Every structure is written in C-alpha cells, then in structure tokens.
Amino acid sequence: MTINGFETGERNNQAMSLAGYLFAIDVTPQDIYDIMQTVNERSNEPLPDHELNTVYMSARRREEKKRARMSEYGRD
C-alpha cells in the first residue's frame, strides 16, 4: 500500500488503517500526515484533500481518546 498507494474502493479504510498504525507506534502527527499525503499521491485515484484531512483527524481523535482511557487506568 505505501508503495502503490491506496486501492480504489478501499482508500478511506486503508488511509484510516495506516494512520491508526502510525499513531499507535508514536510517529509524530506531522509525519503521519506527510506519509498519508505521499501514499495518497501514489494512488491511481487519490482521495481529495478534504477527505484525506477528515480521515486523518478522525484517526487522531480516536487515538487521543484511546490514550486518555489508558491514562485513566494507569497505563500510559
């Protein structure tokens, strides 16, 4: 996926999966966005910028909520 871009029909799912993985391994938010843009540009049918932004922000919010829950239980 990172070499050939996102597959048409799976672009949103693959972008969300990639972002979630990168957040989980503590890649910086700016680097995550840059990586997503690069992969998207390699796609046969790239996502529009606003859609890529939406996917990124959704993944970021999900990760922030997950980390807040883990902190509540003493697992940072």
Side-chain angles (χ1 to χ4, degrees), residues 32-57:
I32 292 170
Y33 192 77
D34 292 344
I35 291 166
M36 290 177 68
Q37 281 186 311
T38 299
V39 173
N40 190 50
E41 290 168 1
R42 294 177 179 172
S43 302
N44 286 334
E45 192 177 332
L47 288 167
D49 286 338
H50 72 277
E51 228 173 304
L52 190 66
N53 293 341
T54 299
V55 171
Y56 168 80
M57 289 307 298

Side-chain angles (χ1 to χ4, degrees), residues 18-37:
L18 176 61
Y21 170 74
L22 295 171
F23 275 113
I25 62 170
D26 286 327
V27 175
T28 66
Q30 184 60 55
D31 286 341
I32 292 170
Y33 192 77
D34 292 344
I35 291 166
M36 290 177 68
Q37 281 186 311

Side-chain angles (χ1 to χ4, degrees), residues 1 6 14 32 38 40 46 53 55 58-60 71:
M1 167 180 41
F6 304 125
Q14 290 179 344
I32 292 170
T38 299
N40 190 50
N53 293 341
V55 171
S58 180
R60 186 172 180 162
S71 261

